[in-house]
Amino acid sequence: MKRIGILAVQGAFFEHKVMLKELGAEVIEIRQKNHLENIELDGIILPGGESTVIGKLLRELDMFNPLKQLIDDGLPVFGTCAGLILLAKESINEDESYLASMDISIKRNAYGRQLDSFQVIHEFKDIGEIPMIFIRAPYIISTGNEVEILAIVDDNIVAAKQNNMLVTSFHPELSKDLNVHKYFLNMI
Ligand code: GLN
């Protein structure tokens, strides 16, 4: 059985938990530094929420460096929305980057206010058409050589993979479609 941690310091982690359990994984909420240090994980999810808040809490709770270390050492990680922002090397409309482990440049709150949240059905590489729910979402502006692009919606990159890292601008956990979580578990 695969044991997946979900970073649970802020944001929408409950739905991820439900999906992963449905797929037969063991799920552990990661709330403090010693969880990262003492629990052997096969993968970790960085959920949606507010990236500035999650980034700040990671530092306050002294979890930032251990988390980055695990990811840079190859722990499979799936970042959705704010999780994508946390993993990105660069954000074009923010001064700050966070874990900076993935070679992508992103734009935060990229869809602006008018289009705060929306849903489309769209192609995801190797999966097919799936529902994609966007909530104050970022998108990916450019990717490094090692990054595989998995979905493009309206000319914007909304899903990508680099080695052990998977990111989506949208929230698969808010739909009923388990495919992206299954894809992540297959990366492990
Ligand atoms: N707008 C949020 C941020 O900048 C992300 C939104 C989300 O995770 N649903 O962090």
Side-chain angles (χ1 to χ4, degrees), residues 47-53 80-83 85 94 108-109 134-138 169 171:
E50 202 52 44
S51 53
T52 49
V53 177
T80 58
C81 205
I85 297 170
E94 301 287 316
R108 199 176 156 226
N109 295 326
F134 296 82
I135 302 170
R136 291 178 295 108
S169 299
H171 292 268

Side-chain angles (χ1 to χ4, degrees), residues 23 31 58 61 69-70 100 102 108 152 161 167:
L23 291 168
R31 297 176 179 278
L58 284 177
L61 297 167
Q69 193 65 54
L70 285 169
M102 188 165 178
R108 199 176 156 226
I152 298 179
K161 178 178 176 289
V167 290

Side-chain angles (χ1 to χ4, degrees), residues 37-66:
E37 289 171 342
N38 300 331
I39 304 171
E40 189 83 29
L41 296 174
D42 297 311
I44 189 163
I45 288 191
L46 310 183
E50 202 52 44
S51 53
T52 49
V53 177
I54 300 176
K56 188 164 171 272
L57 285 170
L58 284 177
R59 289 194 198 279
E60 281 175 13
L61 297 167
D62 211 11
M63 295 170 78
F64 189 95
N65 290 327

Side-chain angles (χ1 to χ4, degrees), residues 20-33:
L20 289 169
K21 282 191 166 170
E22 221 170 304
L23 291 168
E26 181 189 353
V27 183
I28 297 188
E29 290 179 13
I30 303 296
R31 297 176 179 278
Q32 53 197 56
K33 185 185 181 189

Side-chain angles (χ1 to χ4, degrees), residues 48-51 80-85 93 106-113 115-118 132-140 156-158 168-171:
E50 202 52 44
S51 53
T80 58
C81 205
L84 173 154
I85 297 170
N93 57 343
I106 61 111
K107 184 173 182 187
R108 199 176 156 226
N109 295 326
Y111 295 92
R113 279 170 201 272
L115 218 54
D116 217 26
S117 60
F118 63 99
M132 299 181 179
I133 298 169
F134 296 82
I135 302 170
R136 291 178 295 108
Y139 56 63
I140 300 170
N156 303 315
I157 304 165
V158 297
T168 62
S169 299
F170 56 91
H171 292 268

Side-chain angles (χ1 to χ4, degrees), residues 139-156:
Y139 56 63
I140 300 170
I141 303 279
S142 63
T143 58
N145 290 340
E146 282 180 39
V147 178
E148 182 185 4
I149 294 169
L150 299 175
I152 298 179
V153 174
D154 295 335
D155 293 333
N156 303 315

